[in-house]
Amino acid sequence: MVDSIDESKNVTVTEEDLENKSKGELIKLAGQLRDRRNELNQMASERASSRDDLNAKTREKVDEAQEHREKRDELNEQVQEHKDKRNELNAEANELFDKVDNVKNDLELDEGKSVDELKDEIEDLEFKQQTEVLSSEDEKELIEKIETKREKLQTKQEKLDESGDLEGLKEEAEEVRSEASKHHQKVTELADEAQKHHNKMIEAYREADEIRDEADEKHEEFVEAQEAADQHHEDFVRVQKRLRELDKKEEQEERSQREEKQEAAREEAEEIYQKFKEGETLDTEDLMKLQKAGKL
């Protein structure tokens, strides 16, 4: 809110004042105008100083906001770099896992029971063969089952042996995926840090706008005081001009009065001189008048 000057303290001058006020009144008025002008100039100077301080603070806040902007942009660049690396590693991991699946499919390793399951079943069947009393037909059937499962186990084992680096391929895929996760974690951390700087940038710009508004108000106050001071100075100059005119008029009147007195003195001296030439006796005063007029 603009802090307006107290206009009740202002001094005004009309043309009627200049024409009608006496010299003494005008001298007093000039003093009032000068004092109020100086007071307003001081007020304008203080307001200009406050405005300049606020503008300096505004620039500081803008610089602060710029620093946060640069830091945010720098972090966002790092975020993008880690995103690109993460995506690249995820794509590589996906390819490796696809290879693992393809190998499994080619070798049919996912079909049927696992090697461990087959081994357990064979042991159970063999234990049954050794511990139970079976008919010839049942024992024959049990032996056939054991042989069938041994064949499956052998086939499964051979396929596993043929798969070669399957486990190594899986480990490599998992390592690449783990590395991608690290980059993803970095993306999250850097993005959070970038957001903090973004928020601080917004806050600094907001504060800069608030301070700039204060500076604008202070500038309005400065302009108001300076214009009032200028008006008082103009009126002071007008009064001073009028006083010079009155001084000049007084000088002219005094000169005219002096000239009239001098003329009257000359005429009187001439009359006395004529009396002197005619032989009249002159008193001391008359003689002094003749001497003053240069007649003696």
Side-chain angles (χ1 to χ4, degrees), residues 17 47 109 143 147 186 188 203 219 244:
D17 291 332
R47 292 178 173 184
L109 293 178
I143 292 171
E147 288 301 321
K186 204 65 180 174
T188 302
E203 178 63 18
H219 180 67
R244 286 194 295 273

Side-chain angles (χ1 to χ4, degrees), residues 3-245:
D3 184 14
S4 299
I5 62 175
D6 185 357
E7 295 187 0
S8 66
K9 295 182 179 180
N10 290 348
V11 182
T12 57
V13 179
T14 65
E15 288 299 324
E16 185 177 353
D17 291 332
L18 294 175
E19 290 296 326
N20 299 329
K21 284 186 180 293
S22 66
K23 185 176 179 181
E25 290 174 327
L26 289 173
I27 290 173
K28 181 179 179 181
L29 183 58
Q32 293 172 337
L33 287 165
R34 181 194 61 236
D35 293 344
R36 181 57 175 164
R37 177 201 63 190
N38 293 344
E39 181 183 348
L40 288 165
N41 274 330
Q42 177 64 28
M43 187 184 300
S45 177
E46 291 171 355
R47 292 178 173 184
S49 179
S50 296
R51 175 204 60 196
D52 295 343
D53 289 343
L54 289 167
N55 281 331
K57 289 180 181 178
T58 298
R59 286 190 292 273
E60 289 177 4
K61 281 298 176 183
V62 169
D63 290 343
E64 181 183 333
Q66 282 297 109
E67 290 176 5
H68 286 299
R69 177 193 291 274
E70 291 172 5
K71 187 62 179 177
R72 178 204 65 184
D73 293 345
E74 177 185 335
L75 288 166
N76 280 335
E77 287 181 8
Q78 295 179 33
V79 166
Q80 190 57 49
E81 290 173 4
H82 284 285
K83 275 186 178 180
D84 293 342
K85 190 63 179 177
R86 177 200 64 189
N87 294 341
E88 177 186 334
L89 289 168
N90 275 330
E92 183 180 344
N94 289 338
E95 289 181 5
L96 290 170
F97 279 118
D98 286 343
K99 286 182 180 179
V100 170
D101 291 338
N102 289 336
V103 170
K104 285 183 176 181
N105 290 333
D106 290 343
L107 299 176
E108 299 178 347
L109 293 178
D110 286 335
E111 293 182 4
K113 296 178 180 180
S114 68
V115 170
D116 291 336
E117 287 175 331
L118 286 171
K119 286 181 178 180
D120 289 341
E121 288 181 357
I122 290 171
E123 288 179 3
D124 291 341
L125 290 173
E126 287 177 341
F127 181 78
K128 182 177 181 180
Q129 181 187 16
Q130 295 170 4
T131 58
E132 294 183 10
V133 177
L134 302 171
S135 64
S136 299
E137 189 172 338
D138 289 340
E139 186 172 1
K140 182 181 178 181
E141 184 179 345
L142 183 60
I143 292 171
E144 288 177 355
K145 283 184 179 180
I146 292 172
E147 288 301 321
T148 300
K149 289 187 182 294
R150 281 178 178 168
E151 289 174 2
K152 288 182 180 180
L153 175 61
Q154 184 177 354
T155 301
K156 181 78 71 173
Q157 193 68 55
E158 288 174 354
K159 286 183 178 181
L160 284 173
D161 292 341
E162 290 173 8
S163 68
D165 288 338
L166 180 61
E167 290 301 319
L169 200 60
K170 285 173 66 178
E171 287 180 6
E172 183 183 356
E174 287 168 356
E175 286 177 2
V176 173
R177 181 78 80 199
S178 176
E179 190 65 22
S181 296
K182 292 178 182 178
H183 284 282
H184 178 72
Q185 180 63 30
K186 204 65 180 174
V187 166
T188 302
E189 292 173 2
L190 291 171
D192 288 344
E193 190 67 20
Q195 186 62 44
K196 290 177 182 178
H197 283 284
H198 177 75
N199 294 340
K200 289 179 179 179
M201 178 196 72
I202 297 298
E203 178 63 18
Y205 275 132
R206 185 190 64 76
E207 291 179 4
D209 288 340
E210 289 180 354
I211 298 172
R212 186 182 292 110
D213 289 341
E214 290 183 44
D216 290 343
E217 288 182 0
K218 192 60 65 175
H219 180 67
E220 290 180 28
E221 294 174 7
F222 156 75
V223 171
E224 181 187 33
Q226 191 61 61
E227 288 179 347
D230 292 344
Q231 183 60 55
H232 280 72
H233 178 70
E234 291 175 10
D235 289 341
F236 172 75
V237 171
R238 288 169 62 208
V239 174
Q240 289 293 91
K241 181 180 179 182
R242 178 57 178 163
L243 285 170
R244 286 194 295 273
E245 291 174 354

Side-chain angles (χ1 to χ4, degrees), residues 249-260:
K249 183 177 179 182
E250 286 181 357
E251 289 175 3
Q252 290 174 344
E253 290 176 351
E254 289 174 357
R255 186 167 55 250
S256 296
Q257 289 175 358
R258 285 197 303 273
E259 290 174 354
E260 289 175 3

